[in-house]
Amino acid sequence: MATIRNIVLVHGGFVDGSGWQGVYDHLTADGYRVAVVQNPTLSLAGDVAATRQVLDGLDGPAVLVGHSYGGVVITEAGTHPNVAALAYIAAFAPDEGESVSTLIADPPPGAPVPPILPPQDGFLLLDRDRFAASFAADVPGNTAAFMADSQVPWGIEALEGAVSEPAWRTKPSWYLVATDDRMIPPPAQRAMSDRAKAVVTETPGSHAVYVSRPAVVAAVIAQAAQGAGGQA
């Protein structure tokens, strides 16, 4: 019953893989082998292919980790034979036929609405002036400003990409709820994690909890590595 040593990190929309650096530093310091997928967020199919390419290159089982839209990617890519467990970090965890688009279509009354600008040429961006408050409220101001100004346009095809076979139905999952999230409401996070029968941890934190609280995020991932290793 050995701990799984491979970790694969998948970022969400509007950002790139560099935001994982703090989590990466914690995990590698503890001896994990960590790969960061630079998924282009143009389409779900393309992001799943990029993730599977990384998984193909591993020498053994891995914990596949997704933040935000990255949760959709790992839900679809996680059926890969090298995936032993899933870890959702303030992430979408869709069921069969669901996408980010369907999951956010009917927000509850009073829920914060992400400041997504109207699509331009098939891509979405967040309002830069409102980025920090909605996405990264607990991140240092200069870092949040950099994240706002270095946004990666998020493809409509990624937003609308629907899951065909949810990996959480057949693989164990862990979930970190960010209780101050203003992009994915915490009640939605709890509902998705409950449906996936995930092991749940809650922490104060914005949507960018993976940037602001990397030690907490790394601890959840390590918990998944140890738990899935014990089941292997």
Side-chain angles (χ1 to χ4, degrees):
M1 297 199 301
T3 295
I4 289 162
R5 305 313 299 175
N6 291 313
I7 310 293
V8 176
L9 305 174
V10 181
H11 66 79
F14 307 120
V15 296
D16 65 18
S18 64
W20 286 116
Q21 184 167 358
V23 174
Y24 171 94
D25 289 345
H26 281 282
L27 290 170
T28 54
D30 288 337
Y32 291 98
R33 293 188 295 271
V34 184
V36 180
V37 181
Q38 289 287 13
N39 42 309
T41 67
L42 301 178
S43 69
L44 177 60
D47 295 334
V48 169
T51 303
R52 287 179 175 268
Q53 185 177 34
V54 171
L55 292 166
D56 285 342
L58 300 181
D59 58 0
V63 177
L64 184 58
V65 184
H67 169 255
S68 192
Y69 158 73
V72 184
V73 179
I74 71 168
T75 300
E76 183 76 358
T79 55
H80 191 287
N82 279 343
V83 176
L86 306 164
Y88 293 89
I89 309 301
F92 292 103
D95 204 346
E96 181 180 351
E98 292 181 344
S99 64
V100 172
S101 186
T102 65
L103 288 169
I104 67 173
D106 190 20
V113 177
I116 300 175
L117 298 171
Q120 295 282 340
D121 302 320
F123 292 96
L124 300 168
L125 289 168
L126 289 179
D127 183 332
R128 282 177 169 77
D129 293 337
R130 298 167 63 195
F131 184 98
S134 61
F135 196 103
D138 58 350
V139 172
N142 59 339
T143 302
F146 178 81
M147 292 171 71
D149 286 334
S150 63
Q151 284 184 70
V152 179
W154 188 17
I156 294 287
E157 286 185 47
L159 184 84
E160 296 180 346
V163 166
S164 62
E165 184 182 347
W168 53 256
R169 289 195 170 277
T170 55
K171 310 232 174 144
S173 61
W174 279 255
Y175 197 108
L176 180 64
V177 174
T179 60
D180 304 314
D181 198 324
R182 298 187 64 80
M183 294 290 293
I184 305 177
Q189 295 184 38
R190 295 184 185 107
M192 289 185 287
S193 60
D194 183 63
R195 181 173 66 177
K197 298 181 172 57
V199 178
V200 177
T201 300
E202 297 207 1
T203 185
S206 73
H207 192 58
V209 66
Y210 69 113
V211 177
S212 63
R213 308 203 70 186
V216 174
V217 173
V220 169
I221 297 167
Q223 185 184 16
Q226 292 155 14
Q231 296 177 31

